[in-house]
């Protein structure tokens, strides 16, 4: 076999390398011209062989000849060390992503992508979702209560949890003082008030409470915040109104401690949206409280009165409104004590048409009319005739009432004498000492229905221990029983009253209430009123008083 000369062998090796060099040159040229950022590396030692123009612009610190694991991209260095094919990194404020691709046996490339906009969009979406969730939580919690104090505390808690390090909610002045609620992160809720004159010490607060637009946070000097705010050292301040019904419901003061964590325009916008919802809730709670206070004042004169206890006469009243939340309704009872010695005590029990607030208003008018007639000394029958005329002249149709009016006075031997007049009302019942039940033979036409009214009064005398019961038809018309719709009825009332023989007035009324409640079994009911007049029995002598004191012995 003939040996090759040295020159011939070198030519062979050059011939074998020529295609590889050509391929590498073409690879360099192709990657350098690519629009995508590519870093070409050698497979053997991870040396950077090429940084194309796009990669040089994206990562200026990358240069050919250096090691891929020692470049400016920590994510790339970590991927090279771990043998990973992907990495993410942040370089000079840009978010980058890299993916390794094998090009041939000797080369691989890192293909870089700028994902800054993608990251920013995702972050913005996350922030927006967090804000939406915050506003949804705020709306849910603020709408869950009409208690003003709870709304104020919830506003402060939400503000500190999502907007600031500290929050103060200030309400409009009441008697020249402004109530406030304060919460500092990590501390308890605090409440107090501040003199109206001190509000000017907080930059922008007077303007906000006066209904003017809020001043941007960057124009407020946080160092001017007064000590009474109790916020401590703060770096930024924001004062925003709490819009109410045609006027501000208050103001929300937000503070952040870090001087570098100021309120951005987006933060201020979110605070205003939150403040609008909080202000609406606080204003609604304030309106509800005002209505409740007004209702309480009106109800105070419509509620059943505290009964006087004339000497020798026992009076007991009971009232259940059809709607427990109202506490008032269409049934009523009243007692007008004697204004001077010798004048009878007047009693009244009635049932106006309807239930609820409208019936309560008419009830108040009827009671006031009867009270005025009592002052001029009118007798029961005359009271009903004048009341009938008053209702007819009111100009309102279908406003009528059934009523019992009576005068009560003591008689001899502990007895009680009543004169009763009824107008379309169920006759009163008398429980005798022997357990018998009688109807008082008084009658009369409905009051407020026809111009001419007929009243036939009746006199009743009670022996000691006997009771006269005045009641409204809600007692006998209570529906329940086995079928749930059967009325309790007069027969059951008579039988139940007969079982109260020997009981006191309060015990009798309570027993009847319990029996009718058991009959209804918690079902719907009408207004129920009862008024019991009892002639008290004589109090028994005490054991000590039944024996005479022994006489002292004298010595002989």
């Amino acid at each position: 076999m003939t040996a090759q000369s040295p020159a011939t062998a070198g030519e062979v090796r050059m011939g074998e390398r020529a295609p590889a060099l050509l391929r590498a040159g073409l690879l360099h040229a192709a990657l350098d011209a690519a629009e995508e950022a590519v870093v070409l590396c050698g497979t053997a030692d991870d040396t950077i062989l090429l940084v194309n123009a796009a990669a040089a612009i994206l990562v200026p610190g990358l240069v050919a000849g250096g090691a891929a694991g020692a470049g400016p991209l920590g994510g790339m260095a970590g991927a090279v060390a771990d043998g990973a094919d992907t990495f993410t990194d942040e370089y000079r404020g840009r978010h980058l992503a890299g993916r390794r691709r094998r090009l041939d046996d000797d080369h691989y490339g890192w293909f870089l992508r700028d994902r800054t906009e993608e990251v920013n969009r995702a972050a913005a979406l996350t922030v927006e979702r967090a804000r939406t969730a915050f506003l949804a939580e705020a709306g849910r919690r603020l709408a869950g209560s009409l208690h003003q104090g709870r709304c104020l505390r919830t506003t402060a808690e939400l503000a500190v949890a999502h907007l600031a390090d500290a929050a103060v909610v200030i309400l409009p002045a009441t008697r020249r003082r402004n109530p406030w609620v304060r919460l500092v992160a990590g501390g308890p809720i605090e409440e107090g008030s501040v003199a109206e004159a001190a509000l000017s010490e907080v930059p922008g607060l007077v303007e906000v409470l006066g209904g003017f637009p809020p001043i941007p946070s960057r124009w407020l000097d946080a160092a001017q915040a007064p000590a009474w705010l109790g916020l401590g050292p703060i770096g930024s301040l924001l004062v925003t109104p709490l819009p109410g019904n045609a006027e501000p419901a208050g103001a929300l003061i937000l503070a952040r401690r870090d001087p570098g964590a100021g309120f951005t325009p987006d933060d201020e916008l979110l605070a205003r949206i939150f403040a609008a919802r909080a202000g609406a809730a606080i204003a609604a709670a304030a309106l509800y409280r005002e209505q409740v206070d007004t209702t309480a004042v009106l109800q105070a004169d419509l509620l059943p009165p505290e009964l006087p206890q004339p000497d020798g006469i026992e009076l007991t009243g009971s009232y259940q409104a059809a709607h427990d939340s109202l506490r008032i309704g269409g049934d009523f009872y009243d007692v007008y004590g004697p204004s001077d010695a010798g004048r009878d005590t007047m009693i009244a029990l009635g049932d106006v048409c309807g239930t609820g607030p409208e019936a309560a208003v008419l009830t108040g008018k009827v009671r006031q009319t009867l009270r005025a007639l009592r002052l001029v000394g009118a007798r029961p029958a005359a009271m009903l005739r004048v009341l009938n005329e008053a209702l007819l002249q009111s100009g309102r149709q279908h406003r009528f009432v059934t009523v019992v009016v009576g005068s009560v006075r003591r008689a001899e031997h502990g007895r009680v004498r009543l004169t009763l007049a009824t107008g379309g009302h169920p006759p009163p019942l008398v429980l005798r000492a022997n357990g018998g039940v009688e109807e008082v033979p008084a009658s009369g036409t409905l009051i407020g229905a026809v111009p001419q009214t007929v009243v036939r009064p009746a006199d009743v005398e009670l022996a000691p221990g006997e009771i006269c019961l005045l009641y409204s038809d809600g007692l006998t018309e209570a529906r329940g029983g086995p079928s749930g719709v059967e009325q309790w009825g007069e027969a059951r009332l008579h039988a139940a009253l007969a079982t109260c023989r020997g009981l006191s007035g309060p015990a009798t009324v309570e027993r009847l209430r319990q029996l009718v409640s058991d009959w209804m079994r918690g079902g719907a009911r009408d207004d129920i009123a009862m008024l019991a007049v009892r002639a008290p029995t004589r109090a028994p002598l005490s054991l000590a008083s039944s024996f005479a004191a022994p006489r002292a012995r004298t010595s002989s």
Side-chain angles (χ1 to χ4, degrees), residues 368-378 382-384 386-387:
Q368 292 297 333
T369 301
L370 293 177
R371 184 174 291 113
L373 292 173
R374 164 70 177 130
L375 293 176
V376 298
M383 284 183 170
L384 295 184
V386 175
L387 179 61

Side-chain angles (χ1 to χ4, degrees), residues 307 315-318 333-335 347-349 467-471 509 529-533:
L307 298 183
L315 299 173
T316 305
S318 171
Y333 65 83
D334 216 339
V335 175
I347 60 174
L349 185 143
I467 294 176
C468 179
L469 177 69
L470 284 63
Y471 64 94
V509 169
M530 289 183 284
L531 180 62
V533 182

